[in-house]
Amino acid sequence: MCKSGEIRIQNVLAKIRRGESVTIATLGGSITTGYCSNPIGEKSWAAQTKNWFENIAKKTGAKINFLNEGVSGTDSAFAVARVQDHIIKNKADLVVLEFSVNDLWLEAAIRNKTYEGVIRQIMNNSETAILALFINIKCDDSGVEFPSQQKEQQPICDYYQIPFVSWKDEVLAAGSAADFEVFYDAPETVHPNNAGHASIAGFICKKLQGYWDELPADKEIPAPNHTLPAPKESDKFEFVEYYHKDNIKPASNDGWEIGGTPEHDDWIVRGNVRQGWQTNKADGEITFEVEGSVIGVTYCESDQYKNASAWVSSPDGKNSNKICLNCYSEIRKGYYGWAYKTLVSGDKVQKYILHVKPSDLSDKDKEGKFCNITGIIVSKK
């Protein structure tokens, strides 16, 4: 018997077989964008997956609307803020999720909750199918080979009966660890080259081809179950608001200006650009009135930025500990990344004042460089 996640995929493929219009989306970070493949529009794993769908559609007269919603640095925390704009509003029929690399650097206390939140946003009260993709890096700073967040994300996928493709598992099953040597061009250890993207795409297409070859007759395919089970860990990130300059005004502002989201090519191409705030005033502080059970801040990283400090105060005037927003990133030279930090993680929806100002917690406060926030994620559950 097919699992519920496979039934959703069968229904999407059945639409293609009937010659209908189908929207396919990939949601992830820079590896989904195609960074280090060349040319991206042809050699990235997403582009090659698009080719598979279009080749199948040619045989049936179906129309494929393929959306590469990769944005560099996207982890599952930033994805919970992007799902509505880039997946749900586009009415995607099938989504390939890829956060197993970027979630390596996401806060351990939050990453499973945000990954589950992305899934629940996409699947609850819809027929949208998900195929999870677990990509790994070559090695981490301590020399550990092929790390990824598959070990935490796969149990979540199993719980929701979501099928997946694990690059590491497939490569090791077909060959050996030495095969990964050809998938990266030194000194790169995170972003695979053309051979790596071709390998990833090959396993995705093999999985999809298997579903296509064994696709039952339409009358034998069950309708998808729109109702999800109780959350495995948390549904807080199923119910989120993402605040930015278009939908929230600062409660106070000393020296901050709109512009916390730089003109990152990925973000511009994807549309729905959401601007935040930035400042180079040494003691400038900006505050916001927010309400939620979880409060977090998204921001940009670059070697062109300086760090910020963030904290919240409750209505009774008590301040939380300050958190350093590491806007300064030595390794991101002329390349913007996205990041997220949690300030509040509670059980009840409460009112807070969010404070942000240039950091007094580190030595990365360099003259003439902006610190920034790109937005505020708030759970309403």
Side-chain angles (χ1 to χ4, degrees):
M1 179 179 290
C2 285
K3 297 179 179 180
S4 60
E6 293 176 322
I7 289 171
R8 287 179 178 239
I9 291 179
Q10 286 180 337
N11 275 271
V12 175
L13 295 179
K15 287 183 178 181
I16 297 174
R17 185 171 60 188
R18 294 194 297 268
E20 299 177 15
S21 178
V22 169
T23 297
I24 311 296
T26 57
L27 181 64
S30 55
I31 299 175
T32 295
T33 301
Y35 190 77
C36 281
S37 66
N38 186 31
I40 286 177
E42 298 176 14
K43 299 298 184 180
S44 67
W45 71 259
Q48 294 178 68
T49 301
K50 175 184 177 182
N51 289 342
W52 183 88
F53 280 102
E54 290 182 339
N55 287 336
I56 292 295
K58 287 178 183 177
K59 303 173 184 177
T60 67
K63 179 182 178 182
I64 301 297
N65 179 28
F66 193 94
L67 307 173
N68 185 341
E69 300 294 348
V71 173
S72 298
T74 298
D75 52 26
S76 58
F78 192 36
V80 298
R82 295 185 51 214
V83 168
Q84 291 294 324
D85 278 343
H86 294 147
I87 300 300
I88 294 175
K89 286 183 180 179
N90 288 324
K91 298 181 180 179
D93 294 285
L94 186 152
V95 185
V96 183
L97 294 184
E98 180 269 305
F99 309 119
S100 58
V101 169
N102 283 338
D103 275 15
L104 284 168
W105 300 288
L106 183 58
E107 299 168 334
I110 208 78
R111 60 193 178 212
N112 288 353
K113 297 175 182 178
T114 53
Y115 189 73
E116 185 171 18
V118 171
I119 289 171
R120 292 185 69 86
Q121 282 192 53
I122 292 172
M123 292 181 66
N124 206 5
N125 297 313
S126 82
E127 297 186 0
T128 304
I130 294 176
L131 176 65
L133 174 60
F134 304 137
I135 298 177
N136 52 275
I137 63 176
K138 186 177 180 182
C139 62
D140 62 19
D141 293 340
S142 63
V144 175
E145 289 188 312
F146 321 132
S148 81
Q149 279 306 113
Q150 177 180 346
K151 60 185 179 295
E152 294 182 4
Q153 294 177 355
Q154 183 177 331
I156 298 172
C157 290
D158 289 342
Y159 181 77
Y160 290 97
Q161 300 185 15
I162 294 171
F164 62 84
V165 172
S166 167
W167 187 33
K168 177 180 67 176
D169 291 352
E170 294 286 356
V171 170
L172 295 182
S176 70
D179 292 338
F180 278 98
E181 293 298 322
V182 303
F183 296 150
Y184 298 87
D185 296 330
E188 182 66 71
T189 62
V190 174
H191 301 94
N193 58 19
N194 281 2
H197 278 271
S199 174
I200 294 165
F203 293 123
I204 294 171
C205 296
K206 177 183 175 182
K207 183 87 168 181
L208 293 169
Q209 189 67 48
Y211 287 127
W212 180 260
D213 291 342
E214 298 177 6
L215 190 62
D218 284 7
K219 64 181 181 180
E220 297 175 5
I221 302 174
N225 184 353
H226 293 197
T227 304
L228 296 181
K232 184 178 188 300
E233 184 170 337
S234 173
D235 61 354
K236 286 188 177 293
F237 290 95
E238 181 183 351
F239 305 97
V240 296
E241 296 284 348
Y242 186 53
Y243 295 123
H244 42 81
K245 66 98 173 173
D246 293 329
N247 60 8
I248 193 172
K249 293 183 179 180
S252 66
N253 186 353
D254 180 18
W256 288 70
E257 62 186 36
I258 292 170
T261 307
E263 293 187 1
H264 196 305
D265 288 346
D266 294 347
W267 195 234
I268 300 298
V269 168
R270 305 303 167 243
N272 300 105
V273 179
R274 303 306 192 191
Q275 287 285 329
W277 299 265
Q278 63 184 18
T279 190
N280 60 2
K281 184 176 181 180
D283 59 349
E285 182 175 333
I286 191 169
T287 68
F288 302 89
E289 295 178 356
V290 291
E291 184 175 8
S293 61
V294 179
I295 312 292
V297 176
T298 59
Y299 56 97
C300 269
E301 304 171 312
S302 169
D303 64 339
Q304 301 301 307
Y305 292 145
K306 59 184 178 182
N307 292 342
S309 293
W311 70 99
V312 297
S313 56
S314 53
D316 59 9
K318 293 182 180 179
N319 289 338
S320 70
N321 293 330
K322 289 183 178 180
I323 300 284
C324 185
L325 308 181
N326 299 303
C327 305
Y328 175 82
S329 174
E330 186 176 14
I331 66 172
R332 295 192 181 275
K333 300 185 184 302
Y335 172 75
Y336 298 117
W338 306 87
Y340 167 87
K341 287 286 182 72
T342 303
L343 301 174
V344 174
S345 184
D347 296 324
K348 297 188 301 182
V349 174
Q350 298 186 69
K351 293 181 179 180
Y352 298 92
I353 302 295
L354 167 65
H355 307 255
V356 187
K357 65 186 301 185
S359 182
D360 55 6
L361 300 178
S362 73
D363 61 356
K364 302 300 184 183
D365 187 17
K366 299 187 177 182
E367 284 297 323
K369 296 187 178 181
F370 288 90
C371 62
N372 74 89
I373 62 170
T374 59
I376 305 163
I377 295 177
V378 172
S379 171
K380 293 295 187 177
K381 181 67 181 286

